[in-house]
Amino acid sequence: MKEKILILGAGMIQVPIIEKAKRLGYVVLVLDGSAEAPGMKLADYSFVISTLDAESALQIAIEHQVDAVITTSDYPVNVVAMLCEKLNLIGISPFAAEVCTNKYLQRKLALQFGIKCPQFVKLNFNHLSAYTVPFSYPVIVKPLDSSASRGITIVYEESALADAFVQAKRYSRTDEFLIEEFIEGKEYSIEGLVQQGRLHVLGITEKFLEEAEGMLFPVEIGHVCSVVFEASLQERVVHFADSVVQAFQIDNSALHLEFKLFNNQIYLIECAGRPGGDFIASDLIPLATGIDLLEGLIKIAMGQELRIERSIDRYAGIKFLDRSNYHRLAAYLQQSSHASISRFTIEAYKDAPLQSSLDRLGYFIACDKNKERLIEILDGK
């Protein structure tokens, strides 16, 4: 009898893991709150159920005797952890899942374990009258539990604080939020897999952000991986990642760990117990390194030993279209026959400001042996 995998979520972000599990020969069950989610028709069994409905998910897992439960997005991570614990399956623990989906818990543990992070305070939406920020502007206001930059605002002066509170509340499922100091510097993410307490760093991704007038918060418009630092810094970055994994008790999970480099210091920005989004896990890591991150995640859940071997040594990147570059890049993609571009999607134009990743209008993915040349390709040159 074929082994069964239950995947929480069937949106575009889950389609690659659904397709991967099918190609590996597993029976795939998916649940999603939308019957129109693109992954619903790809699975062997699909259920129109919210990914946050833990009890219904548990009933389905028991009824179908699934062998593994996984997700590739933030919101269902806690449900995955609960199911794995109740059914004695391999996966992230409830403690680690809670930490990875709560920015305040991440900050508290970082301080406890000596991991550098921004200064921060946690506030309640109901107690904001005459509040004074205890550190210098600019600051960041963010919900504890948001993703895709939703509800996050960078605030440059006190007069804009109230509007930032409103934005944070709009995207929060709790009554609390964070105010953090803004850390300068370049932002990166570590993409990894953790099995039986051992972290496998698969690649480091460099982020490129759009910072235009009127934007609430810089939005990612591109990524390049796999970046390698000079030897001593590379060693420090890997040690930093190990420290976070140990502090947050992350095990049998994917790892997406965002950090900044500023004044020769490494600052924790956020940590997630799932693969990197924006096609980092499904496309960029395999194109740059030859490592199949999604297959590795499935192997962890199925109790199979990971064997991580880099077979490719090049750079891979993604560039997103928005209203500022749409017409130029759309024309470039439709006319280009550049062999380095592996695929692209162009959506209908919308004259909407780029306020979160949901406002993007398409993307294209490319790779090259030379990082500078790749960046030129991604810039449409």
Side-chain angles (χ1 to χ4, degrees):
M1 180 181 289
K2 287 186 177 181
E3 292 175 301
K4 301 174 184 177
I5 296 178
L6 172 61
I7 298 174
L8 302 194
M12 284 303 301
I13 196 171
Q14 282 85 30
V15 165
I17 193 76
I18 295 169
E19 292 176 335
K20 177 64 63 175
K22 289 286 293 180
R23 285 197 296 269
L24 292 173
Y26 295 105
V27 174
V28 177
L29 300 82
V30 301
L31 55 85
D32 194 282
S34 171
E36 305 304 315
M40 298 291 263
K41 60 186 178 183
L42 301 176
D44 297 289
Y45 301 92
S46 58
F47 306 89
V48 183
I49 295 170
S50 167
T51 57
L52 302 182
D53 186 344
E55 290 307 314
S56 296
L58 179 61
Q59 290 178 359
I60 290 169
I62 292 172
E63 178 183 344
H64 289 268
Q65 298 181 316
V66 301
D67 300 284
V69 183
I70 56 179
T71 189
T72 56
S73 58
D74 280 311
Y75 284 146
V77 167
N78 286 288
V79 177
V80 168
M82 184 275 282
L83 295 181
C84 288
E85 183 180 57
K86 284 185 176 292
L87 300 175
N88 197 30
L89 301 177
I90 298 171
I92 193 170
S93 72
F95 175 84
E98 184 181 11
V99 172
C100 287
T101 54
N102 187 299
K103 297 174 177 62
Y104 174 63
L105 294 179
Q106 293 180 30
R107 294 288 180 258
K108 279 186 63 179
L109 283 170
L111 288 182
Q112 182 181 335
F113 284 85
I115 298 167
K116 280 194 172 295
C117 68
Q119 297 182 73
F120 67 97
V121 290
K122 181 178 72 168
L123 293 177
N124 190 296
F125 286 114
N126 299 319
H127 303 92
L128 296 178
S129 58
Y131 180 77
T132 302
V133 175
F135 31 81
S136 301
Y137 285 90
V139 299
I140 295 174
V141 176
K142 61 173 67 173
L144 300 187
D145 55 353
S146 71
S147 60
S149 300
R150 288 170 289 193
I152 303 179
T153 305
I154 181 167
V155 179
Y156 292 92
E157 55 188 25
E158 188 176 358
S159 60
L161 207 54
D163 289 341
F165 295 158
V166 172
Q167 185 72 9
K169 189 170 186 178
R170 180 182 174 192
Y171 290 97
S172 177
R173 290 174 293 153
T174 74
D175 290 329
E176 298 174 318
F177 65 99
L178 291 180
I179 299 180
E180 299 182 346
E181 68 170 330
F182 178 74
I183 302 295
E184 301 283 353
K186 192 73 178 175
E187 186 168 341
Y188 302 86
S189 66
I190 294 168
E191 317 303 333
L193 294 168
V194 189
Q195 184 179 49
Q196 296 181 356
R198 181 186 175 190
L199 169 63
H200 301 267
V201 174
L202 309 187
I204 298 173
T205 301
E206 181 177 352
K207 297 186 179 189
F208 295 86
L209 304 174
E210 179 74 23
E211 299 184 65
E213 184 178 353
M215 290 181 66
L216 299 175
F217 188 76
V219 178
E220 295 160 8
I221 58 164
H223 304 275
V224 169
C225 77
S226 174
V227 176
V228 179
F229 301 114
E230 54 88 14
S232 62
L233 178 56
Q234 185 80 8
E235 184 177 343
R236 288 172 55 211
V237 167
V238 172
H239 177 73
F240 159 78
D242 273 320
S243 298
V244 173
V245 165
Q246 297 304 314
F248 295 179
Q249 299 181 31
I250 299 171
D251 201 2
N252 297 316
S253 169
L255 176 74
H256 176 69
L257 177 56
E258 299 176 348
F259 68 97
K260 276 190 172 183
L261 294 176
F262 182 62
N263 285 343
N264 201 34
Q265 299 292 325
I266 303 171
Y267 288 85
L268 169 67
I269 302 301
E270 289 182 12
C271 179
R274 45 84 179 164
D278 286 351
F279 303 95
I280 294 172
S282 60
D283 290 68
L284 301 193
I285 289 293
L287 282 171
T289 69
I291 299 169
D292 194 325
L293 191 156
L294 296 182
E295 181 174 338
L297 179 60
I298 292 170
K299 283 186 173 183
I300 289 174
M302 300 303 299
Q304 301 169 8
E305 182 182 358
L306 289 179
R307 297 185 181 277
I308 305 296
E309 294 182 4
R310 182 169 183 150
S311 59
I312 299 174
D313 187 14
R314 63 186 175 192
Y315 296 94
I318 185 168
K319 183 66 174 284
F320 295 99
L321 281 65
D322 61 37
R323 72 175 183 179
S324 69
N325 63 25
Y326 181 89
H327 297 294
R328 180 178 63 83
L329 289 182
Y332 167 72
L333 292 171
Q334 290 166 340
Q335 298 170 5
S336 175
S337 59
H338 207 296
S340 295
I341 298 176
S342 61
R343 64 188 177 101
F344 65 87
T345 294
I346 303 173
E347 300 177 8
Y349 178 75
K350 290 181 286 190
D351 189 18
L354 185 65
Q355 299 291 5
S356 80
S357 61
L358 302 179
D359 299 316
R360 298 162 176 165
L361 302 175
Y363 68 88
F364 65 101
I365 295 170
C367 54
D368 198 276
K369 292 285 288 184
N370 182 276
K371 181 183 174 184
E372 286 69 31
R373 176 57 189 153
L374 173 60
I375 291 174
E376 289 182 353
I377 295 168
L378 295 176
D379 285 339
K381 298 177 181 178

